[in-house]
Amino acid sequence: MKRTFFILSVALFWSALLMTSCSSEEKKGTATIYDGEIQWSNWSYTFVRGETNDGDLAMWQISFATEIGNSYRTISLTMNTSELGTYSCVYDANSEKWSSNAVSYLRLTVDYDGQPYPEWNGQSATITIHNYDKETKAMSATIEAIVVKKGTSDTRNVKVEMENLHLIDK
Protein backbone atom coordinates (compact mmCIF):
# COMPACT_ATOMS: atom_id res chain seq x y z
CA MET A 1 0.00 0.00 0.00
CA LYS A 2 2.79 2.43 0.90
CA ARG A 3 4.61 1.55 -2.32
CA THR A 4 1.48 2.18 -4.42
CA PHE A 5 0.92 5.49 -2.65
CA PHE A 6 4.56 6.47 -3.25
CA ILE A 7 4.38 5.58 -6.98
CA LEU A 8 1.10 7.47 -7.38
CA SER A 9 2.55 10.48 -5.55
CA VAL A 10 5.63 10.53 -7.77
CA ALA A 11 3.51 10.09 -10.90
CA LEU A 12 1.21 12.91 -9.79
CA PHE A 13 4.20 15.18 -9.06
CA TRP A 14 5.75 14.55 -12.51
CA SER A 15 2.40 14.99 -14.23
CA ALA A 16 1.87 18.32 -12.49
CA LEU A 17 5.41 19.41 -13.33
CA LEU A 18 5.06 18.45 -16.99
CA MET A 19 1.65 20.09 -17.27
CA THR A 20 3.05 23.29 -15.75
CA SER A 21 6.00 23.23 -18.15
CA CYS A 22 3.77 22.67 -21.16
CA SER A 23 1.19 25.19 -20.10
CA SER A 24 3.75 27.90 -19.40
CA GLU A 25 4.90 27.58 -23.01
CA GLU A 26 1.29 27.76 -24.20
CA LYS A 27 0.53 30.74 -21.94
CA LYS A 28 2.80 33.03 -23.89
CA GLY A 29 0.86 32.94 -27.16
CA THR A 30 2.31 34.32 -30.37
CA ALA A 31 2.99 37.69 -31.92
CA THR A 32 4.57 38.74 -35.17
CA ILE A 33 5.90 42.26 -35.40
CA TYR A 34 6.83 44.27 -38.48
CA ASP A 35 8.59 47.47 -37.42
CA GLY A 36 8.65 49.15 -40.82
CA GLU A 37 12.07 47.73 -41.58
CA ILE A 38 12.08 44.05 -40.65
CA GLN A 39 9.70 41.41 -39.29
CA TRP A 40 10.40 39.65 -36.02
CA SER A 41 8.68 36.91 -34.08
CA ASN A 42 11.46 36.27 -31.55
CA TRP A 43 10.65 38.70 -28.75
CA SER A 44 10.22 39.18 -25.07
CA TYR A 45 7.41 41.25 -23.66
CA THR A 46 6.31 43.10 -20.58
CA PHE A 47 2.85 44.28 -19.73
CA VAL A 48 0.82 46.17 -17.21
CA ARG A 49 -2.90 45.81 -16.86
CA GLY A 50 -5.77 47.24 -14.87
CA GLU A 51 -9.04 45.34 -14.63
CA THR A 52 -12.63 46.20 -13.88
CA ASN A 53 -14.53 44.18 -11.28
CA ASP A 54 -15.97 42.11 -14.14
CA GLY A 55 -12.50 41.04 -15.31
CA ASP A 56 -12.43 43.29 -18.36
CA LEU A 57 -9.22 45.13 -19.09
CA ALA A 58 -9.79 48.78 -18.31
CA MET A 59 -6.21 49.51 -19.37
CA TRP A 60 -3.39 47.40 -20.79
CA GLN A 61 0.09 48.35 -21.84
CA ILE A 62 2.36 45.96 -23.69
CA SER A 63 5.95 46.35 -24.91
CA PHE A 64 7.61 43.91 -27.28
CA ALA A 65 11.41 43.91 -27.48
CA THR A 66 14.02 42.07 -29.52
CA GLU A 67 17.69 42.22 -30.38
CA ILE A 68 18.53 41.53 -34.01
CA GLY A 69 22.14 41.78 -35.11
CA ASN A 70 23.39 45.15 -33.96
CA SER A 71 19.99 46.64 -33.18
CA TYR A 72 17.64 46.61 -30.22
CA ARG A 73 13.99 47.30 -31.05
CA THR A 74 10.84 47.88 -29.00
CA ILE A 75 7.23 48.58 -29.81
CA SER A 76 4.98 49.78 -26.99
CA LEU A 77 1.22 50.33 -26.93
CA THR A 78 -1.25 51.39 -24.26
CA MET A 79 -4.97 50.69 -24.73
CA ASN A 80 -7.89 51.63 -22.49
CA THR A 81 -10.29 48.87 -23.50
CA SER A 82 -10.55 45.14 -24.06
CA GLU A 83 -13.90 45.38 -25.86
CA LEU A 84 -13.97 43.49 -29.16
CA GLY A 85 -13.95 45.75 -32.19
CA THR A 86 -11.87 48.06 -34.32
CA TYR A 87 -10.51 51.36 -33.04
CA SER A 88 -9.11 53.84 -35.56
CA CYS A 89 -7.55 57.03 -34.34
CA VAL A 90 -5.11 59.82 -35.11
CA TYR A 91 -2.62 61.48 -32.78
CA ASP A 92 -2.77 65.27 -32.46
CA ALA A 93 0.73 66.51 -31.59
CA ASN A 94 -0.60 69.92 -30.52
CA SER A 95 -2.97 68.57 -27.88
CA GLU A 96 -0.80 65.47 -27.31
CA LYS A 97 -3.93 63.29 -27.43
CA TRP A 98 -5.34 60.52 -29.58
CA SER A 99 -8.69 61.09 -31.31
CA SER A 100 -10.06 58.02 -29.52
CA ASN A 101 -9.59 57.42 -25.81
CA ALA A 102 -9.16 53.71 -26.60
CA VAL A 103 -5.48 54.43 -27.37
CA SER A 104 -3.24 56.50 -25.14
CA TYR A 105 0.30 55.61 -26.25
CA LEU A 106 2.13 54.09 -29.23
CA ARG A 107 5.89 54.22 -29.76
CA LEU A 108 8.65 52.41 -31.67
CA THR A 109 12.31 52.71 -30.68
CA VAL A 110 15.30 51.37 -32.60
CA ASP A 111 19.00 51.66 -31.85
CA TYR A 112 21.97 50.54 -33.91
CA ASP A 113 25.30 49.58 -32.34
CA GLY A 114 24.09 50.94 -29.03
CA GLN A 115 23.49 54.40 -30.47
CA PRO A 116 19.93 55.48 -29.75
CA TYR A 117 17.97 56.78 -32.65
CA PRO A 118 15.07 59.18 -32.24
CA GLU A 119 11.79 57.71 -31.13
CA TRP A 120 9.08 56.89 -33.64
CA ASN A 121 5.79 58.07 -32.18
CA GLY A 122 2.35 56.96 -33.26
CA GLN A 123 0.69 59.23 -35.82
CA SER A 124 -2.33 57.09 -36.64
CA ALA A 125 -3.42 53.61 -35.63
CA THR A 126 -6.04 50.98 -36.23
CA ILE A 127 -6.32 48.40 -33.49
CA THR A 128 -8.66 45.45 -33.85
CA ILE A 129 -9.33 43.33 -30.79
CA HIS A 130 -10.46 39.97 -32.17
CA ASN A 131 -10.78 38.06 -28.92
CA TYR A 132 -10.26 38.56 -25.20
CA ASP A 133 -10.73 35.73 -22.73
CA LYS A 134 -11.45 37.17 -19.27
CA GLU A 135 -10.61 33.91 -17.54
CA THR A 136 -7.19 33.25 -19.08
CA LYS A 137 -6.43 36.91 -19.88
CA ALA A 138 -5.52 35.88 -23.44
CA MET A 139 -5.94 38.37 -26.25
CA SER A 140 -5.83 38.22 -30.02
CA ALA A 141 -5.45 41.60 -31.70
CA THR A 142 -4.04 43.33 -34.76
CA ILE A 143 -2.29 46.67 -34.46
CA GLU A 144 -1.52 48.63 -37.62
CA ALA A 145 0.01 52.06 -37.25
CA ILE A 146 1.94 54.81 -38.91
CA VAL A 147 4.74 56.14 -36.74
CA VAL A 148 6.71 59.32 -37.38
CA LYS A 149 10.38 59.78 -36.45
CA LYS A 150 10.67 62.43 -33.77
CA GLY A 151 11.84 65.76 -35.18
CA THR A 152 11.34 64.69 -38.83
CA SER A 153 8.58 63.86 -41.27
CA ASP A 154 9.94 60.32 -41.87
CA THR A 155 7.26 57.66 -41.36
CA ARG A 156 7.08 53.89 -41.05
CA ASN A 157 4.16 51.48 -41.21
CA VAL A 158 4.23 49.03 -38.32
CA LYS A 159 2.09 45.99 -37.66
CA VAL A 160 1.69 43.67 -34.69
CA GLU A 161 -0.33 40.44 -34.93
CA MET A 162 -1.06 39.02 -31.46
CA GLU A 163 -2.60 35.56 -31.31
CA ASN A 164 -3.82 34.22 -27.97
CA LEU A 165 -1.20 36.28 -26.12
CA HIS A 166 -1.62 35.94 -22.37
CA LEU A 167 -1.51 39.14 -20.35
CA ILE A 168 -0.86 37.40 -17.05
CA ASP A 169 1.98 37.23 -14.58
CA LYS A 170 4.74 34.98 -15.84
Side-chain angles (χ1 to χ4, degrees):
M1 184 69 172
K2 287 183 180 181
R3 183 170 187 232
T4 303
F5 178 76
F6 175 76
I7 291 172
L8 287 174
S9 297
V10 170
L12 183 60
F13 169 77
W14 282 108
S15 296
L17 184 63
L18 288 172
M19 285 174 53
T20 302
S21 299
C22 294
S23 65
S24 67
E25 198 58 37
E26 290 174 26
K27 280 183 186 178
K28 191 174 190 179
T30 62
T32 302
I33 296 113
Y34 176 69
D35 64 22
E37 188 176 41
I38 59 175
Q39 183 169 308
W40 32 286
S41 54
N42 182 20
W43 41 262
S44 60
Y45 72 111
T46 58
F47 58 87
V48 176
R49 71 174 197 265
E51 298 176 21
T52 65
N53 290 335
D54 295 336
D56 290 324
L57 291 178
M59 181 280 301
W60 56 280
Q61 193 270 334
I62 191 159
S63 292
F64 294 98
T66 194
E67 186 173 358
I68 300 173
N70 63 345
S71 69
Y72 183 73
R73 299 156 183 266
T74 62
I75 290 183
S76 301
L77 169 77
T78 303
M79 292 283 295
N80 299 312
T81 185
S82 61
E83 292 293 319
L84 303 184
T86 299
Y87 304 88
S88 294
C89 51
V90 176
Y91 184 75
D92 180 358
N94 293 327
S95 68
E96 298 182 351
K97 293 187 179 188
W98 286 88
S99 60
S100 166
N101 64 0
V103 178
S104 59
Y105 182 81
L106 178 65
R107 178 171 294 154
L108 164 70
T109 58
V110 180
D111 75 27
Y112 298 99
D113 294 326
Q115 300 300 313
Y117 272 49
E119 298 164 346
W120 297 76
N121 295 307
Q123 183 177 50
S124 64
T126 301
I127 294 98
T128 303
I129 299 175
H130 306 289
N131 186 38
Y132 172 63
D133 185 324
K134 290 181 191 182
E135 192 173 308
T136 64
K137 307 299 185 233
M139 180 174 288
S140 295
T142 303
I143 300 138
E144 295 180 89
I146 297 174
V147 294
V148 64
K149 190 176 190 179
K150 190 174 183 177
T152 73
S153 59
D154 298 346
T155 61
R156 284 188 179 185
N157 293 325
V158 298
K159 184 174 184 176
V160 178
E161 287 281 347
M162 297 171 23
E163 185 65 38
N164 201 32
L165 191 70
H166 287 246
L167 305 174
I168 58 174
D169 296 329
K170 296 178 185 180

